[in-house]
Amino acid sequence: MPVRDEEHADNMLRMAVDMQEAAAQFSSPAGDGIRFRVGVDSGPVVAGVVGRRMPRYHLFGKTINKAESMEQGGRAGRVQVSRATYRL
């Protein structure tokens, strides 16, 4: 079970920035830098294991959908933060 963390927003943002910094140290075989987008939102989610042959832990809910939408609409190398997360 996940453990409640009052500093989850700060921890997630630190991890996102750390991931961006780590990726900057590598390049693709073509020599291009590795850059990706991150979307962070805070709110209720439902979690569970999905699948029998290859079980995976998965999160569901509007919070996940919003973070995914922010990530898809963001710029590579940037961390998109929702208003809900920013307020925390």
Side-chain angles (χ1 to χ4, degrees):
M1 295 295 293
V3 177
R4 186 173 188 86
D5 181 357
E6 297 300 324
E7 296 181 2
H8 81 275
D10 289 335
N11 292 337
M12 287 301 300
L13 294 172
R14 276 192 216 108
M15 182 180 77
V17 170
D18 288 348
M19 289 170 53
Q20 296 282 2
E21 290 174 354
Q25 298 177 18
F26 299 94
S27 61
S28 72
D32 300 322
I34 297 176
R35 297 173 51 197
F36 56 92
R37 302 175 305 254
V38 177
V40 179
D41 189 23
S42 299
V45 298
V46 175
V49 177
V50 178
R52 291 182 183 221
R53 281 189 286 158
M54 292 186 64
R56 294 182 176 101
Y57 188 74
H58 196 75
L59 301 172
F60 303 91
K62 289 182 181 179
T63 303
I64 301 303
N65 296 342
K66 184 173 181 181
E68 182 179 14
S69 176
M70 292 170 53
E71 174 265 327
Q72 290 176 353
R75 291 177 42 201
R78 301 290 178 123
V79 178
Q80 308 298 315
V81 181
S82 71
R83 182 172 284 131
T85 300
Y86 180 80
R87 289 179 179 164
L88 294 174

